[in-house]
């Protein structure tokens, strides 16, 4: 405990450092691991660097576990363990798997700053990884962190790299680092700028803008020019992106409105409970997923496919019940129908609130619906893409069903001329019930899709009811093609207005335009003509 | 006109009938119990957040009754449903006070519902405990604010993000739902950031309608704004319902917390319960309480809550803690005053202390706000928060922001000055 002993120890370690650096480096791991026990972010940051530098063969495994909250400390012994995704527990010091994991371990906590440090450290460690994907991810991490100390490793990795795509990622990472570094020769800086200019995305702009303040004026001017050039290109892509967003919003609108196009558009029932059918569909998805989670988790990816027919059945039956129980007594009295269906919507909402609670329910996304990919610079999310595809499939299926099935024929006959259809032997009340059931069922399958992008709560339906009416009225009541065109037109118009006017004003503009349009054409875009209209 | 008169007549008649009915039976019981009003929406859009608060009040009252009640009398909860309808809040508040003769009311969530009941509480002189973080710029004699004022949530959160640990953020997106709370909070934050030397071009303010569900454009705008080579963060005052699609879009477009962290003021454990959080790990929230805080009082509260709701998966959140503190303060003040007379309880409340759930003792201040710790939590994969930063001491709530023109000179003091907006420049009460 004396001063002399401390001094002695310090001297010894200093000497040891000088004489045998490798041995000391390998011995760094235990000291790094004890730092983790302090539960202090600064200490943990230090530990991450020491672990990365330790050269231990399992250093990367420790760091990956740390970044995924799978690194643990046993509070009593301060020993550190990590758990693999498969659930095997390893001792962090030796790297060996242990037979039984000690009980009561604490997760080593990290924050966002440490996550960045970790991404960088893991990036440097995985530059030589055998899998090309991980090498690319490593390059991307260094591209963002612009950590100068990783440059020598990056150069080595670049020399060894065989795959052109990964090599390009390495060159881009190197360019990003060199541009931000203080001591880069002018020629290399200029070359880096041209590499980044070719990359031409938002990340490249961020890198070009973080050019070191010590860079000479020519390089700075070139960087600014490259930024302007990329921005120009991105602007063009921006228009494409807006169209895509518009189509995606349009598909959601169409999906929500397609059932209403039947109940309101074809049958003329002002159905305020339409939104609640969407909600019931979403809750059906929730129930299916809960069931699968507890019984057959391996089937989870098929949960939506299972939920679709179920949701159609459930909401279709509810729809038939509503038609038989309430609406059929109110045909020809739109005001009463409106009030009655509004009452039904409140009853359904409160029933669901009582049964499932007022809070949101978690509906998971199957793996094929999460994430995004880049197409010509436009980032496209899988979920949205599937919803567009799904909407179009539903739309086409509905068109075909109306046109080519006997049921569809009866529906059209009844809505066009009820008395004539009745005298031809069609059971019109039955057809009414089926039509309303079909519209409700379509709302139900819309709910399955919308559960992927929105809250599953008792209020889900209310968000869509106004938009749905808007789409159907704008498209022309009674015309499915009109509904399609109007949904996509409203979606795209909204998405072009939104960047200019903001989300709130964009919505107001759309409504104002709609009112003006309805003044001019009260029957919507594609008005039905002929005697059916007058009936 | 005719219709209105008729409707009023009917209403009055109905109220009269109801009074007669209730006057017939339990007169004795009415004298024995102390009634506590619970004014939270159980249906409509706000039911999602407010139902929980109703439950927590029922639990607290049950607990208190197990301890022997208050002043030797049992407590009785009177629950009404204002159905997320702002004018109905005022009607129901009036019903609680005049008809049920409650001693105090615990209720409201949105600022607009609070503003709608204010005149009722002033006119009928009763007490309201308001448990939700709000925009400040208010201090009323009859209202006790147990949620956070902006200086107990928004300002510390921004300070954290500016610090080294928080990532030294230089560029700010202030995104909110278009109503009074986000607009006022963002005005305060903008003034604060400008005072800290953030240039105007590094602040992007964006508002969206209630229940906004298509976030594609806004998220890609945020992405673009964040690519300027300076560390960027989003300060979100987006209201409950719109958050799930917002976070889903963030995750889908690959915005990670390490690139552009989002710090939210209205997202707690309850809101996250409906979200898959594995892609949101590291995004932040600023509150005065988190369920994950390790403290004996908290562990006890969580256990009681799970037992009371008979659901081991139920979570706790910040406004629940606010009701816990507020209710205990009210109990102490009534005990101190020895009566439930509103004037005496209002006078007894400032200075009252009650433990909060995170190990400290909160105190009611003369401005009718309370002292609270401020915490920053990061979202974990299990939909809980990991507290990454917290203030050492409790922060006193400030009713009037020091960063807004006009509000800077105002001071609320219901003990010494007997005024909620005393102007220290002109030295008189009122603006």
């Amino acid at each position: 405990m004396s001063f002399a002993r401390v001094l002695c120890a310090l001297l010894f370690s200093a000497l040891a450092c000088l004489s045998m650096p490798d041995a000391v480096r390998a011995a760094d791991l235990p000291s790094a691991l004890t730092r983790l026990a302090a539960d202090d972010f600064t200490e943990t940051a230090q530990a991450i660097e020491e672990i990365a530098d330790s050269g231990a063969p399992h250093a990367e495994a420790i760091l990956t576990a740390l970044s995924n909250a799978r690194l643990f400390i046993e509070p009593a012994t301060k020993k550190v363990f990590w758990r693999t995704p498969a659930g095997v527990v390893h001792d962090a010091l030796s790297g060996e798997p242990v037979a039984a994991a000690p009980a009561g371990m604490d997760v080593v906590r990290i924050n966002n700053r440490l996550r960045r440090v970790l991404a960088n450290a893991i990036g440097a460690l995985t530059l030589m990884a055998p899998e090309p994907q991980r090498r690319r991810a490593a390059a991307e991490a260094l591209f963002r962190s612009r950590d100068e100390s990783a440059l020598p490793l990056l150069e080595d990795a670049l020399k060894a790299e065989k795959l052109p795509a990964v090599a390009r990622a390495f060159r881009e990472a190197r360019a990003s680092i060199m541009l931000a570094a203080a001591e880069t020769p002018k020629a290399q800086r200029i070359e880096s700028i041209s590499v980044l200019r070719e990359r031409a995305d938002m990340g490249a702009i961020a890198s070009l803008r973080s050019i070191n303040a010590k860079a000479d004026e020519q390089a700075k001017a070139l960087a600014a020019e490259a930024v302007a050039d990329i921005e120009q290109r991105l602007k063009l892509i921006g228009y494409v992106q807006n169209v895509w967003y518009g189509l995606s919003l349009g598909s959601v609108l169409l999906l929500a409105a397609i059932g209403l196009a039947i109940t309101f558009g074809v049958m003329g029932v002002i159905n305020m409970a339409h939104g609640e059918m969407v909600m019931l569909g979403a809750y059906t998805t929730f129930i299916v997923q809960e069931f699968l989670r507890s019984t057959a988790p391996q089937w989870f990816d098929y949960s939506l496919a299972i939920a679709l027919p179920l949701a159609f059945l459930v909401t279709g039956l509810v729809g038939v019940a509503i038609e038989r129980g309430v609406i059929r007594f109110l045909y020809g009295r739109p005001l009463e129908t409106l009030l009655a269906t509004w009452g039904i919507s409140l009853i359904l909402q409160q029933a669901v609130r009582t049964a499932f609670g007022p809070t949101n329910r978690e509906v998971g996304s199957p793996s094929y619906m999460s994430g995004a990919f880049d197409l010509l610079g436009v980032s496209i999310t899988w979920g949205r893409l599937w919803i567009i595809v799904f909407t179009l499939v539903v739309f086409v299926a509905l068109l075909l069903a109306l046109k080519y099935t006997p049921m569809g024929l009866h529906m059209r006959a009844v809505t066009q001329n009820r008395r004539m259809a009745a005298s031809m032997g069609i059971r019109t009340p039955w057809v009414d019930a089926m039509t309303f059931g079909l519209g409700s069922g379509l709302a139900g399958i819309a709910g399955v899709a919308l559960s992927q992008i929105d809250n599953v709560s008792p209020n889900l339906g209310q968000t869509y009811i106004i938009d749905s009416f808007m789409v159907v009225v704008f498209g022309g009541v009674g015309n499915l093609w009109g509904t399609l065109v109007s949904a996509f037109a409203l979606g795209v118009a909204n998405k072009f207005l939104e960047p200019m006017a903001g989300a709130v004003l964009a919505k107001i503009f759309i409504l104002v335009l709609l009112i003006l349009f309805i003044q001019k054409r009260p029957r919507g875009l594609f008005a039905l003509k002929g005697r059916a209209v007058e009936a | 006109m005719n219709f209105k008169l008729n409707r009023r007549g009917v209403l009055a008649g109905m109220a009269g009938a109801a009074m007669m009915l209730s006057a017939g039976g339990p007169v004795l019981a009415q004298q024995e119990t102390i009634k506590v009003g619970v004014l939270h929406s159980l249906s409509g859009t706000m039911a999602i957040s407010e139902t929980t608060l109703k439950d927590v009040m029922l639990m607290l009252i049950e607990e208190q009754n197990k301890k022997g009640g208050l002043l030797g009398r049992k407590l009785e909860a009177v629950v009404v449903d204002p159905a997320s309808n702002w004018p109905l809040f005022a009607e129901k508040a009036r019903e609680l006070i005049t008809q049920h003769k409650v001693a105090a009311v615990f209720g409201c969530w949105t600022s607009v519902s609070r503003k709608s009941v204010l005149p009722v509480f002033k006119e009928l002189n009763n007490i309201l405990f308001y448990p939700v973080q709000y925009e400040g710029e208010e201090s009323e004699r009859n209202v006790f604010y147990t949620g956070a004022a902006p200086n107990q949530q928004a300002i510390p959160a921004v300070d954290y993000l500016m610090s080294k640990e928080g990532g030294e953020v230089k560029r700010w997106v202030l995104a909110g739902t278009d109503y009074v709370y986000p607009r006022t909070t963002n005005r305060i934050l903008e003034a604060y950031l400008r005072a800290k030397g953030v240039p105007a071009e590094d602040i992007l303010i964006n508002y969206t309608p209630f229940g906004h569900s298509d976030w594609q454009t806004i998220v890609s705008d945020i992405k673009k704004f964040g690519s300027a080579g300076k560390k960027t963060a989003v300060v979100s005052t987006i209201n409950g319902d719109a958050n799930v699609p917002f976070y889903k879009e963030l995750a889908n477009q690959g915005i990670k917390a390490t690139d552009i962290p989002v710090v939210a003021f209205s997202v707690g454990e309850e809101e996250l319960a409906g979200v898959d959080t594995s892609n949101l790990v590291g995004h932040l929230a600023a509150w005065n309480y988190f369920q994950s805080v390790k403290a004996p009082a908290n562990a006890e509260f969580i256990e009681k809550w799970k037992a009371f709701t008979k659901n081991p998966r139920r979570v706790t959140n910040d406004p629940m803690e606010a009701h816990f503190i507020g209710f205990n303060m009210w109990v102490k003040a009534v005990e101190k005053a020895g009566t439930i007379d509103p004037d005496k309880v209002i006078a007894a409340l400032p200075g009252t202390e009650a433990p909060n759930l995170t190990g400290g003792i909160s105190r009611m201040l003369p401005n009718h706000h309370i002292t609270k710790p401020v915490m920053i939590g990061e979202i974990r994969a299990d939909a809980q928060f990991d507290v990454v930063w917290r203030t050492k001491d409790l922060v006193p709530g400030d009713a009037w922001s020091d960063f807004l023109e006009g509000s800077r000179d105002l001071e609320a003091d219901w003990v010494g000055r007997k005024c909620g907006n005393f102007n220290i420049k002109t030295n008189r009460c009122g603006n």
Side-chain angles (χ1 to χ4, degrees):
Chain A
M1 282 295 151
S2 71
F3 177 67
R5 263 163 84 184
V6 173
L7 190 71
C8 180
L10 277 175
L11 264 177
F12 177 76
S13 56
L15 277 173
C17 288
L18 283 174
S19 59
M20 37 191 300
D22 281 350
V24 171
R25 284 190 64 180
D28 265 343
L29 191 58
S31 87
L33 293 179
T34 49
R35 278 182 202 281
L36 289 177
D39 193 25
D40 176 286
F41 292 137
T42 320
E43 286 284 307
T44 310
Q46 183 74 30
I48 292 168
E49 275 170 23
E50 288 179 13
I51 293 171
D53 289 346
S54 69
H58 53 281
E60 190 224 326
I62 298 178
L63 295 181
T64 313
L66 179 57
S67 72
N68 292 321
R70 285 191 278 105
L71 192 71
F72 303 91
I73 283 193
E74 198 189 358
T77 57
K78 306 271 180 230
K79 276 172 107 174
V80 182
F81 299 90
W82 88 83
R83 201 180 64 218
T84 60
V88 185
V89 178
H90 293 254
D91 183 291
L93 196 54
S94 62
E96 301 296 323
V98 289
M105 296 193 297
D106 291 333
V107 179
V108 181
R109 303 185 325 135
I110 52 175
N111 64 6
N112 281 330
R113 181 167 73 92
L114 295 188
R115 273 187 202 98
R116 281 193 293 274
V117 175
L118 271 171
N120 190 27
I122 296 172
L125 285 175
T126 50
L127 278 173
M128 300 286 206
E131 304 89 345
Q133 271 163 327
R134 281 173 70 199
R135 292 202 299 272
R136 266 189 97 154
E140 201 54 37
L142 293 177
F143 181 86
R144 291 182 190 202
S145 73
R146 303 189 264 279
D147 177 21
E148 223 177 312
S149 63
L151 207 50
L153 279 172
L154 193 58
E155 297 279 7
D156 291 347
L158 187 56
K159 270 181 209 134
E161 187 56 55
K162 301 245 165 27
L163 283 175
V166 181
R168 209 178 90 197
F170 283 158
R171 270 197 298 276
E172 284 167 1
R174 185 178 65 177
S176 176
I177 295 172
M178 280 184 162
L179 210 54
E183 314 286 332
T184 311
K186 187 177 158 190
Q188 267 179 332
R189 236 193 261 277
I190 289 170
E191 196 207 318
S192 300
I193 291 171
S194 70
V195 169
L196 290 173
R197 192 174 182 155
E198 255 169 61
R199 182 178 154 123
D201 66 353
M202 271 180 333
I205 293 183
S207 289
L208 284 166
R209 288 227 172 106
S210 30
I211 185 168
N212 196 288
K214 283 186 194 154
D216 67 73
E217 290 310 313
Q218 193 197 345
K220 276 184 186 166
L222 271 174
E225 197 183 297
V227 167
D229 177 49
I230 297 173
E231 273 178 344
Q232 191 62 38
R233 266 193 268 177
L234 286 182
K235 207 171 184 179
L236 284 177
I237 292 172
Y239 288 122
V240 183
Q241 185 114 24
N242 274 342
V243 172
W244 164 255
Y245 288 161
L247 291 178
S248 159
L249 176 64
S251 71
V252 170
L253 288 175
L254 178 60
L255 203 52
I258 203 164
L260 197 71
I262 301 288
T263 54
F264 173 57
V266 177
M267 293 177 75
V269 175
I270 300 182
N271 180 16
M272 297 300 283
H274 172 73
E276 276 55 47
M277 298 297 147
V278 177
M279 172 194 71
L280 287 182
Y283 271 93
T284 312
T285 320
F286 165 71
I287 294 170
V288 167
Q289 288 202 345
E290 280 297 287
F291 180 73
L292 286 181
R293 273 203 187 105
S294 56
T295 54
Q298 71 275 16
W299 283 64
F300 188 77
D301 268 0
Y302 303 99
S303 59
L304 294 187
I306 301 169
L308 276 178
L310 277 176
F312 185 81
L313 269 181
V314 169
T315 52
L317 287 176
V318 173
V320 171
I322 293 174
E323 202 275 342
R324 288 287 86 186
V326 181
I327 292 172
R328 72 173 160 139
F329 305 110
L330 301 172
Y331 282 122
R333 288 147 70 188
L335 201 60
E336 281 94 328
T337 320
L338 186 143
L339 286 176
T341 49
W342 190 53
I344 293 170
S345 91
L346 291 182
I347 293 170
L348 286 174
Q349 268 179 48
Q350 203 61 17
V352 168
R353 198 170 279 133
T354 315
F356 295 94
T359 45
N360 288 334
R361 289 308 176 144
E362 182 181 341
V363 172
S365 298
S367 52
Y368 54 85
M369 283 194 78
S370 31
F373 65 96
D374 254 22
L375 186 73
L376 304 170
V378 181
S379 126
I380 292 174
T381 50
W382 279 107
R384 298 275 177 177
L385 182 64
W386 280 117
I387 286 178
I388 294 186
V389 171
F390 176 69
T391 311
L392 293 177
V393 168
V394 169
F395 183 81
V396 171
L398 178 66
L399 267 188
L400 294 179
L402 283 183
K403 207 152 199 169
Y404 295 111
T405 63
M407 191 66 222
L409 185 67
H410 289 176
M411 280 180 196
R412 284 183 294 141
V414 170
T415 48
Q416 278 171 19
N417 195 326
R418 178 174 295 270
R419 286 172 63 196
M420 181 74 84
S423 39
M424 300 300 281
I426 296 173
R427 287 168 61 196
T428 52
W430 172 248
V431 172
D432 284 337
M434 284 298 116
T435 315
F436 199 84
L438 173 69
S440 303
L442 287 171
I445 57 175
V448 177
L450 294 182
S451 73
Q452 292 301 308
I453 53 169
D454 210 334
N455 296 292
V456 179
S457 78
N459 306 330
L460 171 70
Q462 297 199 311
T463 13
Y464 291 103
I465 185 73
I466 301 205
D467 286 346
S468 305
F469 271 105
M470 203 166 81
V471 168
V472 175
V473 170
F474 179 55
V477 173
N479 189 324
L480 277 183
W481 282 105
T483 309
L484 177 87
V485 173
S486 107
F488 284 115
L490 288 175
V492 173
N494 204 331
K495 283 297 156 189
F496 271 92
L497 280 172
E498 208 180 296
M500 285 181 266
V504 182
L505 273 182
K507 205 151 189 179
I508 296 173
F509 275 142
I510 293 281
L511 281 171
V512 169
L513 286 177
L514 206 68
I515 292 169
L516 293 178
F517 179 82
I518 295 292
Q519 296 296 319
K520 194 84 189 152
R521 291 182 66 121
R523 287 182 189 279
L525 274 177
F526 299 93
L528 283 185
K529 293 189 182 72
R531 269 188 296 177
V533 183
E534 271 71 50
Chain B
M1 201 59 198
N2 199 8
F3 170 73
K4 250 190 182 169
L5 272 175
N6 271 341
R7 198 178 65 154
R8 272 207 194 139
V10 169
L11 270 180
M14 272 166 64
M19 286 221 311
M20 267 194 264
L21 274 178
S22 66
V27 178
L28 271 176
Q30 222 168 26
Q31 280 171 345
E32 278 166 15
T33 58
I34 296 176
K35 291 194 175 178
V36 180
V38 180
L39 183 66
H40 284 302
S41 303
L42 310 178
S43 52
T45 38
M46 291 313 295
I48 181 172
S49 312
E50 293 192 63
T51 311
T52 317
L53 292 183
K54 183 259 308 179
D55 290 336
V56 91
M57 281 314 298
L58 294 182
M59 177 178 93
L60 291 170
I61 289 169
E62 191 186 292
E63 291 280 310
Q64 188 64 29
N65 279 337
K66 274 188 205 154
K67 285 189 236 162
L70 187 57
L71 302 178
R73 294 155 74 181
K74 288 268 179 234
L75 293 177
E76 182 191 340
V78 183
V79 179
V80 289
D81 177 15
S84 314
N85 174 344
W86 320 138
L88 195 58
F89 266 89
E91 272 177 50
K92 290 285 172 187
R94 191 173 287 278
E95 177 190 321
L96 281 174
I97 300 168
T98 56
Q99 215 171 306
H100 297 284
K101 307 261 184 294
V102 295
V105 176
F106 291 78
C108 297
W109 181 289
T110 57
S111 286
V112 45
S113 68
R114 189 188 67 250
K115 297 267 187 208
S116 123
V117 300
L118 274 184
V120 179
F121 278 88
K122 272 197 209 168
E123 180 198 327
L124 302 172
N125 193 24
N126 207 289
I127 303 170
L128 171 70
F129 281 87
Y130 177 67
V132 183
Q133 105 284 7
Y134 83 121
E135 67 278 4
E137 308 300 296
E138 185 183 300
S139 174
E140 292 289 340
R141 179 172 172 272
N142 300 84
V143 184
F144 291 87
Y145 307 83
T146 51
N151 75 314
Q152 291 172 307
Q153 188 185 29
I155 301 278
V158 166
D159 279 339
Y160 171 76
L161 286 173
M162 281 197 230
S163 73
K164 181 162 178 271
E165 207 54 52
E168 294 172 280
V169 172
K170 298 277 188 296
R171 249 165 113 79
W172 302 85
V173 182
L174 309 180
T177 304
D178 203 358
Y179 73 109
V180 54
Y181 165 67
R183 284 218 176 241
T184 316
T185 308
N186 284 345
R187 242 175 62 214
I188 294 173
L189 284 181
E190 194 189 3
Y192 181 71
L193 289 172
R194 296 301 304 278
K196 284 266 175 182
V198 177
E201 72 263 20
D202 281 350
I203 303 176
L204 173 74
I205 300 183
N206 182 292
Y207 291 106
T208 39
F210 266 102
H212 191 67
S213 60
D214 193 284
W215 289 92
Q216 301 179 87
T217 311
I218 290 158
V219 168
S220 86
D221 280 353
I222 289 172
K223 219 169 161 181
K224 213 181 286 168
F225 190 76
S227 68
K230 286 182 187 170
K231 182 73 187 167
T232 306
V234 181
V235 177
S236 150
T237 38
I238 296 165
N239 173 276
D241 251 9
N243 271 304
V244 173
F246 174 60
Y247 280 119
K248 279 188 181 167
E249 193 63 43
L250 277 182
N252 275 338
Q253 294 206 19
I255 295 188
K256 293 216 178 66
T258 42
D259 309 325
I260 304 179
V262 178
V263 57
F265 300 152
S266 314
V267 176
E269 288 84 350
E270 191 97 305
E271 285 75 16
L272 283 186
V275 196
D276 173 18
T277 51
S278 50
N279 286 320
L280 303 178
V281 171
H283 286 305
L284 306 142
W287 289 106
N288 310 103
Y289 166 85
F290 285 107
Q291 185 180 353
S292 65
V293 171
K294 283 191 179 124
N298 191 25
E300 191 192 331
F301 182 79
I302 295 168
E303 200 179 307
K304 274 185 195 159
W305 173 241
K306 286 179 176 170
F308 181 81
T309 55
K310 299 187 185 65
N311 181 353
R313 281 161 73 186
R314 274 302 276 269
V315 292
T316 58
N317 66 12
D318 182 272
M320 286 170 65
E321 192 223 17
H323 260 343
F324 171 83
I325 301 171
F327 180 75
N328 285 329
M329 282 181 172
W330 176 73
V331 166
K332 284 194 177 169
V334 170
E335 278 168 353
K336 199 161 103 188
T339 167
I340 54 165
D341 176 54
D343 282 330
K344 296 208 172 109
V345 178
I346 288 174
L349 265 164
T352 308
E353 293 190 331
N356 55 38
L357 292 175
T358 50
I361 306 281
S362 287
R363 190 159 47 86
M364 180 59 74
L365 301 166
N367 63 5
H368 287 190
H369 291 64
I370 68 172
T371 60
K372 308 185 112 189
V374 184
M375 304 175 187
I376 310 283
E378 279 186 3
I379 297 176
R380 296 197 306 224
D382 62 353
Q384 284 285 333
F385 290 87
D386 200 6
V387 178
V388 291
W389 179 87
R390 66 184 285 180
T391 49
K392 281 197 198 74
D393 306 309
L394 304 193
V395 180
D398 188 9
W400 300 98
S401 172
D402 298 339
F403 303 102
L404 283 187
E405 208 56 54
S407 125
R408 197 172 293 155
D409 306 325
L410 296 181
E411 193 184 294
D413 182 356
W414 289 104
V415 176
R417 302 188 196 273
K418 306 257 181 247
C419 177
N421 52 355
F422 189 86
N423 193 319
I424 45 173
K425 276 224 175 112
T426 57
N427 224 8
R428 60 194 180 84
C429 192
N431 296 325

